[in-house]
């Protein structure tokens, strides 16, 4: 990275102001104006109000000093002062801006004039060059120079126009500057007034600061006292907490001892339980292993029996197939559709089978019903036998409530297992059971269900012994099978309304017995029609009405009273009930129920009525729209079919509900086909499937959705074991061999089966859709057996309705193979060529028990190309038969055979083998890819054109292998003047490969060549290629036609030197075949090298002229570099990677925020802290987004940008190797252009062109620049003349070996210099080079620095410009006088420097008193007193100094930098600590180039009193003693001492009157009486007066004024005039001593001695 050693302090940037809208004048600030402004004070002056309020609260003693000095300032005056200061500052800023604009315009004009001067010089030089080229008759250079001259004139004209424009602009700016300066002059008085007011304001502000400081100190002391008290309290609390903590620790130890005792017991008990569980698991595992071993033993023992049964089953299957074939043939002979007839028979058989299954299921249901009736009877008898007298007689209300609870729980008691599990078991059992064993299986299952029902009933009886199942005369709610499933909403409503109880529950109704006329009434006294008020499929927000009719069924005349609706239904129901009169038996009345649902869920409740015979209820049921989905069959059995047939079945999905839903076929989890590719009869396959189906049924029974109770699971496990034994028996009877994987899947129902796609059983394209309310959808399932064996397919219907459970579907089919088949149904002959013989063997296999006749048939189209021998044969029983296939593809194959695709060359011929006695023939297919054997050239003729005898011409042709097989080739009989590459013309072509073959022609003589090349393929086919060329002899010759550069690093360069010669003489001739008899004239030749675009090659000279026999030195330079396009592509890739990384970080942050939000509720105590973190993360994300948004556009990636340089550095680090070849043509002319017109281009002959071949390998640079974004240009920019700027650049060794660095020698007169030495750096190390630029002249400088190593030279370009600084000072004089100041007080003045140059200027402020070269110990003052005090007006540079050792004068700032076009203010402060009039110092402001901008003397005087007198002759030396005066203690003042006057101070005033030509001119001198403005005194001013004025007048002295007053901070002049009286003697000295009294804070008396004389030399 570039580093500068230039010290720059903090820059001070003044406010930039625009033009002022307010015109200032001394008359503007009138009283009326500021009174109006008091009401509208700007916001930035609000603090003045606070200051004015503080003024009111200040004690009178604090303001005693200011009482006499000035009046109390009002708020309006202060606001006026700040407004004036702001306006004056704006005017100053505007003046500075105008000055800057004028200076800038002058610089532009100066630069423009310099450019015009430079262009004029260039034009003169160019005109001289044009004259010289005209003399040498160089037309090419003359044309180029004239073009440059024209371009230069255009630039000169534009510069002159720009100069005129800048002149106009400069005049306008100077006019504006003059106007601003006039305005500044008008405001000078106003500025002086503002300064005085500011000084008064600063004094007042200092007093307020002192008062505030005192208040803050008092507040600080109070705060310290409070903190001390607080620390004492905290120490006491800590002591108390420590004691409490110690007590808790002791208690915790005791509690841990007690807990450890019980923890050991708990751990011991847990270990025992864990060991018991492990033992039980081990026993269960052993039982399972024993069951598997026993099953394998049974299978092995019954293998022989299985083989016999399988052979018998195959024989039966063959007989059955033969009968079916005979039936099919007879039906076809009769003209009946055999397929349709057989399909109808199968449908009838299927219908009969389903009827039998239905009857069996009806029987099983009857058995279940009977068993439940028997259970109910037993339960009723058992309860009737219990003594009823032991229980208290319940009231009517209690009976009613118990009856109601029993009716609600009755559906649970009627079902031994949950309905879902029972239905599932019944469905699976009904679908998967076989017809032959259905009765036994159903009986077994009925017995098991009966046992489970009895056990469940016993549990119910033990739980609720008091409930009764006796049914009343009229049916109640228990007949409706209502099972209320409470949810959160209904539970909440019941909880809220549970406190509201109907009046019947409180016993307020007088209930009478339900007996009338000796008859007992069973059930409610009224019945309703409908019995249940049902609102089915309602919509939220709609209103439903229903009429209800109540009928009196009692034996009495009664009426009823409506009590209300269930509490949780009050918000949804409105009952229109009019109380009826007394109703006789059989009479009825109606009422209306209005239902308006608000929530979308099922509701259940009741209408409560009261009558004389007791209360009764009318149930209410409200159901939402639901989906009730069913399929007509969950199991589809296709049966057994021969391979190749296609059978379809249809299943219907029906929605019996009112809610539509979307359905989809889910094959991801349920689709698990199991295909057994073992050939077996249909009966055996059916038995095998029964076993697997029973296992599937047990799996469904064990699903957690159907069974919840642990006892029911144990029963089902025992049921599985019994079913497993039946499976073992069935498998032992029907299965031949079963793989081990199938056994493990049948036994272990927990094993997952991997889903895979089934190729035999497929579904139609309908995979989902919408099924509306009360609609049905049909789905077609197709079974196309391709491989013999059993195939299964399991899938399920899934619905978007969450309440609807998936419906599983099971599909099964068995495929049976043919008795005679081809062992290889697909015969692949691979890739074949035309007109070549290919053979293969066809093997036919038979499993039949008799010999059969075979006939091989070849289709008519392929009989010319394919043949099978023998065509007919006999295959013996249980054996095979072989036939020979011959294939010779002809060229007419595409026309003869329709099975051949000429575009792809694919041939697929279906072949059949007719088998006697077999309806379906055996099919096989012959596959082949037929291709040609041609080799093709992309050109029919190759024309090499004109070829020089010095060079070779290469022409590339493309040889293509049109075949799909590899072919060998070779060029034979090649002439000696031509060369074939690669591999000398021999090789192998892969299928469809195209090889580029280079034909290199080298002419030996200048003549015409015509020949043919022969290419022979591996199958002895010839392919000819015609060629022609012309050999020529060019007039010019290169010393080398091939340049092989060495490996050159990127950024380095390699150079090669060549010679271009014109060897043409009078004896030579240009032997051209076009005109062989004509001799070429001897003449000069023009040449020009044509370089390719964006190449790394440079040739110098690239064009020129050669005379006969002359030769020219040509320099070829190879400079490898990175292309701009490559760098931009790399930058785009890096930008894309950065965006991807940023997006991944954002995604990670988003996921982390989501996790943090999920974890927040787990820690409620840390909620406040957690709520802050997301905000911080959001802020960080926004900051990251802001950074990411700053990433550049692809269009902004330009050279010099950071992305561009980073991509360039990345390519350099990853650069490996690059090899390029260039062929540079050198065009040679036929002669010079015509003499009459030199601008005409000469004729160029194409066959005289020379070609230079360059081989350019580029490698990775071992040395790269890593600072300054990898840029090789170090620009120091503009530097002030005399300054020294240091910059650094760092290089890194990126190679694998150490590099010894060295550098070139810079110009000794160059302002650039290398400050450090170079060294050897190891791989990966870095080295920093330090360069300095010290310009001595105002000019632009450029130099080259080469950093060399073993493998490359790194060039660095050094640029810089020297600028002479233009800095001016605002103080024009050489002396800066502070005047008189009270001792130990401060006075300041401001000096401003303006930088008008274009660069920042560094400065340094020096005081002579602080100079390190100043003599120590006051030696300079001693020398001054002894030697140099010859004149009283001469003073030393450094005068009196402070006794304290501090500097009398100080300057701020001491050093810094002034930006271009801006100014810097210096504050010079004078602070004496004792009275003296000889304070002085020397201030020097020096730039960094040692030039002094400002040198001034600093003077000041200090007085101990406010009144002072100055202007007399010096009576003492200007330098004080080296030692301070002895400080003595002041005596105590008494009343007498106060009256006595202070000692007088001597003052000498010499007056010299001039005498010239007898006339005497009076002498005049002035004394200055001043009053110092100070904060220590409160007086307004002082006064002075002379004593004995009359005596002065007698001696010719006149004093004006003789007395007067002096205001604070002002001076007043006293004019003393001496006029000699008439009797004056020449050279007589008149002396008079007069006291002058100054009265201020103290009365001082000056003894003024007036000494007068007449002199002829006086001024």
């Amino acid at each position: 990275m570039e580093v500068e050693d230039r010290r720059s302090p903090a820059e001070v940037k003044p406010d930039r102001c625009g033009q002022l809208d307010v015109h200032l004048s001394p008359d503007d600030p009138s009283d009326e104006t500021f009174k109006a402004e008091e009401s509208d004070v700007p916001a930035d002056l609000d603090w003045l109000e606070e200051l004015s309020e503080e003024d009111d609260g200040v004690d009178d003693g604090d303001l005693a000093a200011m009482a006499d000095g000035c009046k109390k300032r009002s708020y309006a005056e202060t606001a006026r002062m700040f407004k004036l200061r702001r306006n004056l500052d704006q005017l100053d800023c505007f003046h500075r801006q105008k000055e800057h604009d004028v200076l800038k315009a002058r610089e532009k004009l100066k630069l423009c004039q310099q450019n015009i001067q430079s262009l004029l010089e260039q034009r003169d030089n160019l005109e001289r060059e044009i004259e010289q080229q005209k003399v040498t008759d160089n037309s090419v250079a003359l044309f180029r120079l004239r073009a440059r001259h024209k371009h230069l004139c255009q630039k000169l004209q534009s510069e002159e126009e720009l100069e005129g424009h800048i002149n106009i602009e400069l005049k306008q700016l100077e006019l504006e500057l003059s106007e601003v300066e006039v305005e500044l002059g008008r405001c000078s008085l106003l500025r002086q007034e503002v300064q005085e007011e500011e000084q008064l304001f600063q004094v007042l502000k200092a007093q307020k600061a002192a008062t505030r400081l005192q208040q803050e100190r008092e507040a600080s002391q109070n705060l310290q006292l409070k903190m001390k008290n607080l620390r004492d309290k905290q120490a006491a609390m800590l002591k108390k907490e420590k004691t409490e903590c110690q007590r808790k620790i002791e208690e915790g130890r005791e509690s841990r001892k007690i807990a450890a005792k019980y923890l050991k017991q708990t751990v011991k008990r847990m270990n025992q339980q864990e060991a018991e569980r492990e033992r039980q698991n081990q026993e269960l595992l052993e039982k399972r292993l024993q069951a598997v071993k026993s099953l394998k033993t049974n299978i092995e023992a019954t293998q022989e029996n299985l083989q016999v049964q399988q052979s018998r089953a195959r024989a039966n299957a063959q007989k059955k197939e033969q009968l079916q074939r005979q039936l099919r043939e007879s039906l076809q002979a009769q003209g009946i559709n055999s397929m349709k007839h057989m399909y109808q028979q199968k449908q009838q058989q299927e219908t009969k089978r389903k009827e039998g299954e239905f009857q069996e299921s009806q029987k099983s249901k009857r058995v279940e019903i009977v068993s439940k009736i028997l259970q109910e009877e037993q339960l009723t008898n058992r309860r009737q036998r219990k003594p009823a007298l032991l229980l208290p007689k319940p009231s009517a209300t209690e009976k009613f409530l118990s009856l109601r609870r029993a009716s609600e729980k009755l559906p649970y008691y009627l079902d031994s297992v949950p309905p879902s599990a029972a239905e599932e078991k019944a469905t699976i059992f009904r679908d998967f059971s076989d017809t032959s064993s259905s009765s036994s299986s159903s009986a077994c299952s009925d017995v098991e269900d009966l046992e489970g029902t009895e056990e469940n009933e016993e549990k119910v009886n033990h739980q609720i012994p008091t409930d009764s199942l006796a049914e009343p005369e009229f049916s109640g709610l228990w007949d409706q099978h209502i099972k209320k499933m409470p949810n959160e909403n209904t539970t909440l409503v019941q909880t809220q309304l549970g406190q509201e109880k109907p009046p019947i529950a409180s016993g307020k109704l007088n209930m009478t017995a339900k007996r009338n006329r000796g008859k007992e009434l069973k059930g409610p006294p009224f019945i309703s029609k409908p019995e249940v008020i049902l609102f089915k499929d309602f919509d939220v927000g709609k209103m439903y009405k229903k009429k209800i009719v109540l009928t009196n069924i009692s034996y009495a005349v009664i009426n009823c009273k409506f009590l209300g609706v269930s509490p949780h239904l009050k918000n949804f129901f409105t009952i229109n009930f009019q109380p009826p009169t007394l109703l006789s038996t059989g009479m009825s009345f109606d009422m209306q129920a209005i239902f308006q649902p608000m929530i979308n869920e099922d509701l259940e409740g009741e209408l409560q009525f009261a009558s004389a015979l007791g209360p009764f209820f009318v149930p209410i049921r409200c159901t939402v729209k639901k989906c009730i989905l069913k399929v007509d069959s969950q199991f589809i059995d296709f049966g057994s079919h021969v391979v190749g047939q296609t059978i379809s079945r249809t299943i219907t999905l029906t929605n019996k509900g009112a809610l539509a839903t979307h359905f989809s076929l889910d094959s991801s989890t349920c689709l698990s086909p199991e295909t057994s590719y073992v050939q077996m009869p249909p009966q055996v396959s059916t038995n095998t499937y029964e076993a697997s189906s029973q296992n599937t049924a047990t799996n469904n029974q064990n699903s957690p959705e159907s069974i919840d109770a642990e006892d029911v699971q144990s029963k089902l496990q025992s049921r599985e074991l019994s079913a497993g034994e039946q499976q073992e028996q069935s498998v032992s009877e029907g299965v031949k061999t079963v793989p081990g994987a199938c056994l493990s899947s049948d036994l272990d129902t927990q094993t997952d089966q991997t889903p895979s796609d089934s190729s035999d059983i497929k579904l139609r394209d309908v995979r989902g859709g919408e099924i509306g309310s009360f609609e049905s959808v049909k789905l077609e399932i197709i079974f196309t057996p391709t491989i013999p064996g059993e195939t299964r397919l399991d899938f399920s219907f899934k619905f978007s309705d969450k309440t609807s459970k998936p419906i599983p579907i099971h599909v099964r089919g068995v495929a049976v193979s043919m008795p005679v088949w081809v062992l290889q149904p697909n015969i692949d002959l691979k890739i074949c060529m035309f007109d070549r013989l290919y053979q293969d063997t066809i093997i036919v296999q038979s499993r039949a028990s008799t010999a059969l006749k075979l006939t091989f048939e070849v289709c008519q189209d392929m009989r010319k190309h394919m043949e099978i021998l023998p065509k007919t044969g006999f295959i013996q029983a249980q054996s095979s038969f072989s036939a020979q296939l011959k294939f010779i593809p002809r060229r007419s194959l595409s026309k003869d055979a329709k099975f051949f695709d000429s575009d792809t060359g694919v041939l697929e011929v279906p072949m059949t083998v007719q088998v006697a006695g077999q309806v379906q023939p055996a099919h096989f297919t012959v596959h082949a890819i037929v291709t040609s054997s041609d080799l093709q050239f992309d050109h029919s003729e190759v024309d090499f054109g004109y070829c020089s005898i010095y060079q070779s011409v290469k022409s590339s042709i493309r040889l293509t292998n049109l075949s799909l097989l590899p072919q060998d080739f070779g060029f034979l009989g090649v002439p000696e003047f031509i060369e074939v590459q690669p591999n000398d013309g021999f090789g192998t072509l892969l299928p469809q490969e195209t090889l580029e073959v280079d034909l290199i022609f080298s002419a030996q003589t200048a003549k015409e060549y015509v020949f043919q090349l022969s290419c022979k393929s591996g199958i002895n086919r010839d392919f000819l290629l015609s060629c022609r060329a012309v050999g020529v002899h060019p007039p010019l010759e290169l010393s080398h036609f091939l340049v092989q550069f060495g490996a050159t690093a990127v950024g380095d360069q390699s150079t090669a030197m060549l010679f271009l010669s014109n060897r043409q003489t009078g004896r030579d001739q240009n032997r051209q075949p076009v005109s062989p008899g004509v001799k070429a004239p001897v003449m000069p030749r023009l040449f020009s090298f044509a370089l390719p675009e964006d190449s790394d090659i440079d040739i110098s000279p690239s064009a020129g002229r050669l005379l006969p026999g002359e030769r020219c030195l040509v320099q070829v330079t190879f400079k490898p570099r990175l292309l701009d396009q490559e760098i931009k592509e790399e930058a785009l890739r890096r930008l894309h990677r950065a965006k991807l990384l940023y997006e991944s970080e954002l995604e990670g942050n988003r996921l982390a925020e989501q996790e943090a939000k999920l974890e927040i509720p787990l820690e409620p105590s840390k909620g406040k802290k957690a709520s802050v973190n997301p905000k911080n993360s959001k802020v960080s994300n926004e900051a990251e987004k802001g950074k990411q948004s700053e990433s550049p556009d692809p269009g902004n990636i330009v050279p010099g940008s950071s992305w561009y340089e980073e991509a360039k550095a990345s390519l350099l680090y990853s650069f490996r190797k690059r090899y390029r070849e260039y062929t540079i043509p050198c065009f040679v002319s036929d002669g010079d252009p015509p003499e009459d017109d030199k601008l005409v281009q000469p004729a160029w002959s194409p066959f005289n062109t020379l070609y230079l071949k360059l081989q350019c390998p580029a490698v990775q640079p071992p040395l790269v620049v890593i600072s300054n974004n990898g840029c090789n240009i170090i620009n120091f920019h503009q530097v002030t003349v005399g300054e020294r700027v240091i910059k650094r650049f760092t290089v890194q060794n990126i190679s694998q070996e150490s590099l010894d660095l060295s550098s070139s020698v810079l110009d000794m007169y160059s302002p650039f210099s290398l400050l450090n030495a170079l060294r050897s750096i190891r791989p990966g190390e870095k080295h920093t080079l330090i360069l300095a630029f010290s310009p001595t002249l105002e000019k632009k400088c450029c130099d080259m620095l080469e950093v060399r190593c073993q493998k490359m030279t790194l060039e660095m370009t050094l640029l810089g410009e020297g600028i002479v600084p233009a800095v001016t000072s605002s103080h024009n004089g050489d002396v800066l006088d502070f005047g008189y100041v009270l001792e130990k007080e401060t006075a300041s003045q401001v000096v401003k420097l303006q930088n008008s140059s274009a660069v920042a200027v560094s400065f340094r402020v020096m005081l002579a008193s602080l100079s390190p070269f100043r003599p120590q110990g006051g030696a300079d003052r001693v020398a001054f007193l002894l030697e140099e005090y010859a004149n009283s007006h001469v003073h030393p540079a450094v005068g009196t100094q402070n006794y304290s050792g501090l500097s009398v004068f100080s300057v701020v700032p001491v050093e810094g930098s002034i930006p271009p076009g801006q100014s810097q203010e210096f504050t010079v402060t004078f602070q004496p600590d004792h009275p003296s009039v000889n304070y002085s110092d020397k201030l020097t402001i020096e730039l960094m180039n040692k030039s002094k901008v400002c040198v001034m003397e600093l003077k000041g005087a200090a007085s101990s009193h406010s009144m002072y007198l100055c202007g007399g002759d010096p009576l003492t030396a200007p330098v004080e003693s080296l030692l301070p005066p002895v400080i003595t203690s002041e005596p105590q003042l008494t009343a007498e001492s106060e009256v006595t006057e202070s000692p007088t101070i001597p003052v000498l005033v010499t007056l010299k009157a001039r005498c010239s030509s007898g006339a005497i001119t009076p002498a005049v001198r002035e004394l200055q009486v001043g009053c110092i403005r100070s904060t220590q005194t409160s007086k307004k001013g002082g006064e002075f007066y002379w004593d004995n004025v009359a005596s002065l007048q007698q001696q010719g002295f006149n004093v004006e004024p003789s007395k007067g007053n002096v205001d604070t901070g002002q001076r007043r002049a006293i004019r003393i005039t001496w006029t000699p009286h008439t009797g004056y003697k020449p050279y007589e000295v008149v002396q008079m001593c007069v006291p002058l009294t100054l009265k201020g804070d103290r009365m001082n008396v000056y003894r003024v001695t007036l000494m007068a004389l007449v002199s002829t030399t006086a001024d």
Side-chain angles (χ1 to χ4, degrees), residues 1375-1387 1389 1435 1439-1440 1442 1448-1449 1470-1481 1498-1511 1520 1571-1573 1611 1646:
V1375 178
L1376 185 61
D1377 192 356
F1378 286 87
Y1380 274 78
V1381 179
L1382 286 178
E1383 60 177 345
K1384 299 181 181 180
E1385 287 198 359
T1386 302
Q1389 292 192 23
H1435 296 274
T1440 304
N1442 287 334
V1448 180
F1449 298 94
F1470 174 49
Q1471 188 174 7
D1473 63 352
H1474 68 279
S1476 177
V1477 295
N1478 298 320
Y1479 286 110
S1480 64
D1481 206 338
L1498 306 179
K1499 291 186 176 182
S1503 174
S1504 59
H1505 311 293
S1506 62
M1507 295 294 291
Y1508 63 90
L1509 176 68
C1510 62
E1520 294 181 359
C1571 181
I1572 302 174
R1573 178 178 293 170
R1611 284 188 181 187
Y1646 290 86

Side-chain angles (χ1 to χ4, degrees), residues 909-1063:
V909 184
M911 311 290 285
T912 57
V913 181
Q914 296 292 341
V915 182
Q918 183 172 320
V919 176
Q920 185 177 4
H923 299 277
F924 68 97
T925 305
V926 179
H927 298 270
I929 299 176
V930 183
T931 181
S932 64
S933 59
D934 294 341
L935 298 178
Q936 182 181 0
F937 293 103
D938 59 344
H939 299 289
S940 60
E941 183 180 3
V942 179
D943 187 1
F944 292 95
Y946 294 96
C947 178
S948 172
I949 62 174
Y950 299 128
Q951 295 177 338
S952 300
V953 177
K954 183 183 73 172
S955 179
S956 298
I957 60 173
R958 299 174 67 86
L959 181 62
T960 306
N961 179 16
L962 300 179
S963 175
L964 297 178
L965 292 173
Q967 294 194 78
D968 298 333
F969 71 93
F971 288 87
L972 305 178
V974 180
E976 60 181 2
F977 50 79
I978 196 167
E979 181 182 358
V980 183
Q981 291 297 334
N983 201 19
D984 295 331
F986 292 89
T988 302
L989 283 176
L990 297 177
Q992 301 294 327
E993 182 185 8
T994 299
L995 178 66
E996 186 172 349
V997 180
D998 296 333
L999 304 179
I1000 304 173
F1001 174 72
S1002 302
Q1004 298 177 351
T1005 58
K1007 68 175 184 178
E1008 186 174 1
Y1009 296 85
V1010 178
F1011 56 93
Q1012 282 187 340
L1013 294 178
S1014 176
C1015 179
K1016 188 178 289 292
S1017 65
I1019 58 176
N1020 205 21
R1021 293 189 62 188
D1022 292 330
F1023 302 93
L1024 300 179
L1025 179 65
S1026 300
C1027 304
R1028 60 187 303 271
V1030 177
V1032 296
H1033 190 285
L1036 300 185
E1037 179 183 356
L1038 282 169
S1039 60
H1040 297 83
F1041 292 95
L1042 175 64
V1043 178
Q1044 295 178 340
F1045 288 101
T1048 307
V1050 176
D1052 198 1
Q1053 65 179 13
S1054 299
T1055 305
M1057 309 300 293
L1058 307 175
F1059 286 100
L1060 181 63
S1061 306
N1062 185 358
R1063 298 175 182 266

Side-chain angles (χ1 to χ4, degrees), residues 512-619:
T512 59
K514 292 187 179 181
R515 281 182 173 274
N516 189 15
R517 299 177 183 178
K519 298 180 180 180
E520 184 178 358
L521 178 62
K522 296 180 180 181
F526 287 85
I527 62 172
S528 66
K529 186 177 182 181
E531 296 181 356
V532 178
I533 304 174
L534 179 62
F535 293 93
K536 188 177 181 182
D537 302 333
F538 65 82
D539 292 326
V540 177
K542 293 184 179 181
M543 182 180 293
Y544 300 90
K545 298 180 181 180
K546 183 163 289 190
K547 183 179 179 182
I548 306 165
V549 179
L550 294 178
T551 305
N552 181 11
I553 60 172
S554 65
Y555 302 105
V557 179
I558 59 176
N559 60 356
C560 67
K561 180 182 179 182
F562 176 67
L563 300 179
V565 193
S566 298
H568 60 278
L569 299 179
K570 285 184 177 181
N571 295 331
F572 311 116
F573 275 90
T574 303
I575 307 299
N576 295 331
F577 177 79
Q578 295 181 358
T581 58
L582 294 176
L583 298 176
S584 302
T585 303
M587 298 296 290
S588 63
F589 68 96
D590 56 356
M591 56 183 294
Q592 186 180 26
I594 302 174
F595 174 50
Q596 188 172 4
M598 299 298 178
I599 55 176
N600 190 26
E601 60 182 31
D602 294 344
L603 300 173
E604 294 184 5
E606 56 192 15
L607 297 181
Q608 301 171 0
F609 297 91
S611 65
L613 299 181
F616 65 94
F617 307 94
V618 178

Side-chain angles (χ1 to χ4, degrees), residues 37-119:
E37 291 178 352
E38 287 183 4
S39 59
D40 186 13
V41 180
D44 56 352
L45 300 179
D46 292 342
W47 58 276
L48 293 175
E49 296 181 0
E50 181 181 355
L51 184 62
S52 62
E53 291 176 0
E54 292 179 356
D55 292 341
D56 299 336
V58 176
D59 297 337
D60 296 337
D62 297 335
L63 296 178
M66 295 295 297
D68 299 332
C70 60
K71 295 182 180 180
K72 185 176 179 181
R73 298 177 59 86
S74 65
Y75 170 72
E77 292 176 353
T78 308
R80 174 180 175 275
M81 178 190 69
F82 279 98
K83 287 181 181 179
L84 288 176
R85 170 52 62 189
R86 181 178 59 191
N87 295 337
L88 290 172
D89 291 343
Q90 290 176 357
L91 186 59
D92 293 340
C93 180
F94 187 60
H95 178 257
R96 291 194 299 270
Q97 180 66 30
K98 290 301 177 182
E99 287 182 345
H100 174 71
D101 294 342
V102 170
L103 292 175
K104 189 175 181 182
R106 288 174 180 169
E107 290 292 335
K108 289 172 63 178
L109 181 60
K110 182 180 178 181
L111 181 61
C112 184
Q113 292 174 355
Q114 291 178 358
N115 292 338
I116 292 173
Q117 187 65 27
S118 176
L119 291 175

Side-chain angles (χ1 to χ4, degrees), residues 334-441:
Q334 295 176 6
I336 302 174
N337 190 353
S338 59
M339 296 296 294
K340 183 177 181 181
H341 181 74
M342 296 179 68
Y343 179 74
Q344 290 177 353
Q345 288 184 351
K346 289 182 179 180
Q347 289 292 335
Q348 292 177 359
Q349 294 176 1
E350 183 70 18
T351 303
K352 291 180 180 179
R353 185 182 64 80
K354 288 184 178 180
E355 289 179 356
E357 292 178 356
F358 179 73
Q359 292 177 1
E360 292 296 331
S361 65
Q362 291 294 106
K363 291 180 181 179
S364 63
K365 288 181 179 180
R366 291 193 191 98
V367 172
E368 292 177 1
I369 293 171
V370 170
S371 63
K372 288 184 179 180
I373 292 173
L374 292 176
Q375 292 175 7
E376 291 177 358
E377 291 179 354
Q378 293 175 2
L379 185 61
T380 303
N381 295 333
R382 190 182 301 112
R383 290 184 178 177
Q384 287 178 356
R385 287 195 298 268
K386 290 182 180 180
L389 297 176
L390 297 177
L391 297 174
K393 185 175 182 180
S395 63
T397 304
E398 293 175 354
K399 289 182 179 180
F400 181 77
L401 293 176
S402 63
L403 186 62
R404 178 184 173 186
R405 289 194 297 270
S407 64
E408 290 178 354
K409 297 179 181 179
L410 182 59
Y412 292 95
Y413 303 153
L414 295 178
D415 297 333
S416 59
V417 292
S420 60
E423 292 177 1
E424 231 176 331
K425 287 194 298 179
T427 304
I428 296 173
F429 183 84
R430 181 172 64 255
D431 293 339
F432 284 74
S433 61
D434 189 66
T435 307
S436 60
S437 60
S438 61
S439 60
S440 60
S441 300

